[in-house]
Amino acid sequence: KPIPRIENVEGLKIASEALEGIIDMAIADFDMPSLFECLSNDKAVEIVNHLNASVNEFSHNQLLNSLNAFKELSIVLDLVSKEIEKCDKLAKIHSKSFTHLSKMLSNPNDVEFHENKMLKINKVDLYHEIHSAVADWQRKMWGGFGFKLGTALGKLSHTGEVLKIQRMNNPHHFPQPKPRPHKK
């Protein structure tokens, strides 16, 4: 069962635990304390309520609901991106990665779905991580939820444009692939 709408100070605790896993796993090499020092309780509650709405949609295990869930996650990533920029101007590189992930989720190019088996976006299967994350949310295991959802987002972020953005802005963490020698 979904948790009820969050409207109190508990929102900051839930958001902190969930976002830590999401951010750590989706976008590596980010200083979490700087975000939480400037995240207001109202913004945390807004983030948690969108996460809750996403879990509610995913729990129906239907394609249309999953697409709605990804749109809710897209809103969360946009909110986090804006909070990162407000909090730390140096963290704009991470903000761009979240913005690109948000666009991938809100309007995916390629979706494959088989009930209780597969949920792919852009050829990346996210079903098991999403399914596990939903179970953790329902058990109020906020950190586990964030870690598993972040793992799913990380699978997406290490494909295509998001990885290019990360490599371009943070080459020490995401080294460029070495060129292969040409055969003669």
Side-chain angles (χ1 to χ4, degrees), residues 56-111:
N56 290 343
E57 291 289 344
F58 277 128
S59 65
H60 293 291
N61 202 19
Q62 298 294 318
L63 177 58
L64 184 58
N65 296 100
S66 294
L67 293 174
N68 289 336
F70 284 129
K71 286 185 181 180
E72 289 291 336
L73 286 178
S74 167
I75 293 168
V76 168
L77 295 174
D78 283 339
L79 290 168
V80 169
S81 177
K82 288 174 186 160
E83 290 302 303
I84 288 171
E85 282 191 24
K86 280 196 274 182
C87 188
D88 184 355
K89 296 294 181 196
L90 298 175
K92 263 193 167 170
I93 58 174
H94 300 294
S95 175
K96 288 178 186 175
S97 295
F98 277 110
T99 300
H100 191 76
L101 269 174
S102 171
K103 288 177 185 174
M104 287 172 70
L105 293 176
S106 67
N107 194 15
N109 293 334
D110 181 26
V111 178

Side-chain angles (χ1 to χ4, degrees), residues 100 104 122 124 155-167:
H100 191 76
M104 287 172 70
N122 300 342
V124 179
K155 286 170 74 174
L156 279 177
S157 75
H158 288 86
T159 61
E161 288 302 309
V162 176
L163 184 57
K164 286 180 192 172
I165 291 168
Q166 290 172 335
R167 281 184 175 150

Side-chain angles (χ1 to χ4, degrees), residues 6-65:
I6 301 295
E7 295 183 10
N8 57 34
V9 177
E10 186 182 15
L12 192 56
K13 175 189 178 295
I14 295 170
S16 296
E17 289 181 29
L19 287 176
E20 182 172 8
I22 292 169
I23 292 171
D24 278 351
M25 297 308 293
I27 309 293
D29 196 33
F30 182 73
D31 179 24
M32 288 302 299
S34 63
L35 174 61
F36 296 127
E37 288 169 6
C38 63
L39 185 63
S40 72
N41 190 57
D42 289 345
K43 195 57 68 178
V45 167
E46 185 178 357
I47 288 168
V48 169
N49 284 321
H50 284 291
L51 288 172
N52 193 44
S54 178
V55 167
N56 290 343
E57 291 289 344
F58 277 128
S59 65
H60 293 291
N61 202 19
Q62 298 294 318
L63 177 58
L64 184 58
N65 296 100

Side-chain angles (χ1 to χ4, degrees), residues 108-169:
N109 293 334
D110 181 26
V111 178
E112 294 178 58
F113 179 84
H114 294 285
E115 190 174 344
N116 295 319
K117 291 182 183 175
M118 178 181 58
L119 175 58
K120 287 185 179 182
I121 292 184
N122 300 342
K123 309 270 186 247
V124 179
D125 193 357
L126 307 174
Y127 176 78
H128 296 290
E129 291 85 357
I130 297 290
H131 182 72
S132 259
V134 166
D136 280 353
W137 184 269
Q138 292 169 339
R139 291 187 304 247
K140 299 183 179 184
M141 297 172 66
W142 318 123
F145 164 81
F147 179 82
K148 289 166 185 152
L149 181 59
T151 300
L153 295 174
K155 286 170 74 174
L156 279 177
S157 75
H158 288 86
T159 61
E161 288 302 309
V162 176
L163 184 57
K164 286 180 192 172
I165 291 168
Q166 290 172 335
R167 281 184 175 150
M168 185 173 57
N169 292 304

